[in-house]
Amino acid sequence: TAGVELLSLHLSHGSRLRRLSLRHCSIGEEGGKTLAVILEKAALEVLHLRGNALGNSGVVDVLHSARETKTLTEVDLCDTKIDDAPEVIEALCDAFAKVPSLARYDLSANKIGEEGTARLIAGMEGRAHLDQVLVSDEPSAETSATLLEAGHSAGKGKGKKGK
């Protein structure tokens, strides 16, 4: 986390950094607050946080800060030790709704169960900007069918234009 704080300090002096990969950097829950500051200071397009123990509160901090960005298109939260706690699902659904630039989410290798997945699906409905939302584990047949249906309905009108 000390390294993330140093990075945040450096970015406060202006940065042209567009992609930031902090995969497997031993960033804990408190690091979420510092990462939120980085999101506020840099015009990041891609943020990879895979394999850090951010936990629910750290990821919620990052997602709340993402609401303020206009450039973030992809966030990798794979294996960040989150579950389907209400505050996590609410923060994700809020990001789906309020960050139209953010189209790709990787939430795999976390503890998001059927109920959390169902709530995420509800939050994705009507969000045509969402390109990919990866969630852990093999969903049930019913959840898979709902995901496919939500994907098809969100993508209507996004086809190629004819000449």
Side-chain angles (χ1 to χ4, degrees):
T1 303
V4 175
E5 290 174 3
L6 187 58
L7 179 62
S8 175
L9 180 63
H10 171 70
L11 291 175
S12 67
H13 301 295
S15 173
R16 295 164 53 159
L17 185 66
R18 297 291 176 252
R19 298 177 60 88
L20 180 59
S21 179
L22 296 171
R23 294 179 176 177
H24 305 284
C25 288
S26 301
I27 302 169
E29 288 192 30
E30 288 300 312
K33 290 179 179 44
T34 306
L35 290 166
V37 171
I38 289 172
L39 273 173
E40 292 169 7
K41 294 178 181 179
L44 291 177
E45 294 170 5
V46 177
L47 178 60
H48 288 184
L49 299 172
R50 173 182 301 254
N52 289 292
L54 288 166
N56 292 345
S57 66
V59 167
V60 167
D61 288 338
V62 169
L63 290 170
H64 283 165
S65 184
R67 291 183 305 201
E68 305 304 318
T69 181
K70 306 269 189 278
T71 57
L72 192 64
T73 61
E74 178 181 333
V75 65
D76 181 354
L77 298 172
C78 174
D79 190 26
T80 52
K81 312 299 184 243
I82 60 173
D83 57 32
D84 53 9
E87 64 272 15
V88 173
I89 302 302
E90 287 171 21
L92 284 162
C93 290
D94 194 45
F96 294 164
K98 296 181 179 173
V99 190
S101 64
L102 187 49
R104 299 174 65 92
Y105 296 76
D106 188 344
L107 309 172
S108 58
N110 286 297
K111 303 278 187 211
I112 299 174
E114 287 287 323
E115 183 180 327
T117 301
R119 294 191 330 242
L120 288 175
I121 291 168
M124 289 188 288
E125 288 183 14
R127 310 288 181 219
H129 69 281
L130 293 175
D131 181 44
Q132 184 178 59
V133 177
L134 301 176
V135 180
S136 301
D137 299 325
E138 189 77 23
S140 69
E142 183 179 326
T143 301
S144 294
T146 306
L147 279 170
L148 284 172
E149 187 178 309
H152 289 305
S153 67
K156 286 184 181 172
K158 277 184 92 173
K160 294 181 180 178
K161 293 182 180 178
K163 291 185 177 181

